[in-house]
């Protein structure tokens, strides 16, 4: 299994419970498909480099996990379907 990092930006207007639910949802996908979540760092609200959908702030979170490549595809698919996820990026950790 390889180690991956998923950086995602959520809408800052979401309630804290909704942000935690999304983080738990992503972690649940990894664990249900046989991977392990190493850490989830919640960076908090930060100003975006450029407006996305007329919003200037976003809530950043970084999840580090070990999994098979199929998990990455599923995470990307689920994050892309969520309206609350403004941007996401999954990379292999070197």
């Amino acid at each position: 299994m390889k180690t991956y990092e998923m950086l995602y930006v959520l809408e800052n207007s979401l309630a804290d419970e909704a942000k935690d639910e999304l983080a738990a949802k992503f972690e649940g996908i990894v664990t249900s498909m046989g991977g392990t979540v190493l850490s989830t760092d919640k960076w908090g609200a930060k100003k975006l480099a450029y407006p996305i959908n007329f919003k200037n702030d976003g809530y950043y979170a970084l999840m580090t996990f070990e999994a098979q490549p199929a998990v990455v595809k599923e995470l990307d698919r689920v994050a892309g379907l969520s309206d609350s996820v403004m941007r996401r990026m999954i990379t292999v950790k070197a």
Side-chain angles (χ1 to χ4, degrees):
M1 283 195 275
K2 292 184 178 180
T3 303
Y4 296 94
E5 288 183 332
M6 177 180 177
L7 178 66
Y8 54 95
V9 182
L10 303 176
E11 291 185 8
N12 198 30
S13 60
L14 287 175
D16 289 337
E17 295 82 23
K19 293 173 188 171
D20 291 337
E21 286 175 12
L22 275 171
K25 180 179 180 180
F26 296 146
E27 290 173 3
I29 291 171
V30 172
T31 56
S32 69
M33 295 182 73
T36 56
V37 177
L38 302 176
S39 67
T40 300
D41 297 327
K42 298 175 182 173
W43 295 353
K46 299 196 179 291
K47 184 169 175 51
L48 299 172
Y50 53 89
I52 300 173
N53 296 333
F54 305 103
K55 295 181 174 84
N56 294 318
D57 295 330
Y59 184 85
Y60 285 75
L62 177 71
M63 179 175 67
T64 306
F65 61 96
E66 291 179 344
Q68 299 294 332
V71 177
V72 174
K73 288 183 180 181
E74 180 65 13
L75 268 176
D76 193 44
R77 185 187 72 80
V78 171
L81 292 174
S82 177
D83 293 335
S84 303
V85 178
M86 298 167 67
R87 292 286 188 270
R88 79 249 182 227
M89 180 173 59
I90 303 173
T91 57
V92 176
K93 188 173 180 182

